[in-house]
Amino acid sequence: MKTCKNCGGSCKDLGGGNYKCNFCGAAFSAEDFEVAAAVSSRTQASVNNQNGVDIFESTVGGVLEISWKSNRGVFSGSGLLITRDGYGITNAHVVLNGSEAVGSVNVNIAGQRVTARVIGVGSVAGSGEYYRGDDLALLKLASVPEKATVLEFEDFSNVRTGEPVFVIGNSLGHGTCITRGIVSDRRRTVEGRPRIMTDCATNGGNSGGPVFNERGKVIGVHVAAAMLSENEHADGMKYEIPSDIVIDFIRKYLPYFG
C-alpha cells in the first residue's frame, strides 16, 4: 500500500503509475514514491552509521586495559569483552612471558580493576605450530563490572576496503583512547596469514584491542604494524586479525559462541 506524503493516508492506484490519496485527494506518480524511498534509505543509513563520539561512548565499556609484571618490567596491551560471563580476547604476544603464557593478568574495564586468567593461546609467528587463529589469546575475567559492555563482531563479508574504522585501546599503556582511519586493504596476506590493513594510528599497548566499523561492531583485532626495518614502522600500515579468524579461534574453546 502506498502512503500519502502529505497526510499519511492510504492512496488508491489509478493505473498507469498514478496514485491519489483517499483522504486529502493529493495526486502522486510512481516516481514520487521511488524518490521518497531512496531518501528514506539514505536517512536510515546515516542513522545506522555512528561518529567517533558515539562509537567511543557505546563501546569503551567493553575494551580491556591489560597489564602484568615480571622481573623484566611491566607489560601492557588491550583486549575486548566477548561474553557477559567474562570471556575476553587479546593477542597471544600480550600475555606471553617468553614462550609461556602468564597465569593471570590485571584488567581495567568499565572503570574497575579485576584479574583475568589466560585460558588458551594461539601461535605467534615463528613460535611453532600454526593455528588459523594465530596470535590470539582467550581470557576469563574473575568478575564483570555491571557497566561493562559485551562487544559484537561484524560479519566479515560486510567489510569493505575504504570504509571508515576506529581503534580503541590502551595506547602505550597510558590508558584507553580512540583513533580513526580507513580499511586500506580488507584482506592482505602477511607472512602467510590473512590480515586487514588500516591506516589508524596505533602504538605499543594497542595490541589485542578491537577495531570497529561505523556501526560499532568489531571487524578485527589489532596485532602489528608493518616494519621498514627492525626499528622503523611503515607509515599508515597497521595490521588487524579479521573478525572471521577471531571467531574461529574463540570457537576452539567456546564451540557455541555466536
Side-chain angles (χ1 to χ4, degrees), residues 27 60 88:
V60 68

Side-chain angles (χ1 to χ4, degrees), residues 93-122:
H93 74 256
V94 168
V95 295
L96 288 178
N97 187 4
S99 60
E100 299 293 327
V102 298
S104 64
V105 295
N106 296 313
V107 172
N108 285 331
I109 177 173
Q112 294 188 33
R113 181 173 172 136
V114 300
T115 59
R117 292 182 294 117
V118 179
I119 301 299
V121 297

Side-chain angles (χ1 to χ4, degrees), residues 64-79 90-108 113-118 121 124 135 137 139 170 172-173 205 207-208:
L64 313 179
E65 295 178 5
I66 298 169
S67 64
W68 58 275
K69 295 181 181 179
S70 78
N71 55 11
R72 294 184 293 136
V74 178
F75 298 85
S76 62
S78 302
T90 187
N91 286 152
H93 74 256
V94 168
V95 295
L96 288 178
N97 187 4
S99 60
E100 299 293 327
V102 298
S104 64
V105 295
N106 296 313
V107 172
N108 285 331
R113 181 173 172 136
V114 300
T115 59
R117 292 182 294 117
V118 179
V121 297
V124 179
D135 209 347
L139 307 177
N170 186 20
L172 295 177
S207 291

Side-chain angles (χ1 to χ4, degrees), residues 77-230:
S78 302
L80 55 150
L81 183 67
I82 61 170
T83 68
R84 177 52 59 187
D85 59 347
Y87 284 99
I89 284 290
T90 187
N91 286 152
H93 74 256
V94 168
V95 295
L96 288 178
N97 187 4
S99 60
E100 299 293 327
V102 298
S104 64
V105 295
N106 296 313
V107 172
N108 285 331
I109 177 173
Q112 294 188 33
R113 181 173 172 136
V114 300
T115 59
R117 292 182 294 117
V118 179
I119 301 299
V121 297
S123 63
V124 179
S127 68
E129 182 180 356
Y130 168 69
Y131 173 69
R132 190 168 180 248
D134 65 336
D135 209 347
L136 290 166
L138 183 69
L139 307 177
K140 181 63 165 63
L141 277 62
S143 62
V144 179
E146 183 179 348
K147 295 183 179 180
T149 303
V150 175
L151 301 181
E152 297 181 13
F153 288 97
E154 179 65 90
D155 181 338
F156 192 73
S157 65
N158 294 330
V159 177
R160 295 291 180 265
T161 298
E163 71 172 292
V165 289
F166 303 84
V167 171
I168 301 179
N170 186 20
S171 188
L172 295 177
H174 294 167
T176 296
C177 63
I178 183 171
T179 56
R180 179 175 180 162
I182 63 169
V183 174
S184 304
D185 189 347
R186 73 180 296 276
R187 186 74 90 176
R188 175 166 293 207
T189 300
V190 180
E191 298 181 349
R193 293 160 167 81
R195 297 286 186 254
I196 306 168
M197 187 174 80
T198 72
D199 68 346
C200 294
T202 60
N203 297 284
N206 279 112
S207 291
V211 182
F212 298 96
N213 61 18
E214 287 187 297
R215 291 180 292 282
K217 292 190 175 183
V218 178
I219 69 165
V221 170
H222 180 68
V223 66
M227 303 295 292
L228 295 176
S229 65
E230 184 177 349

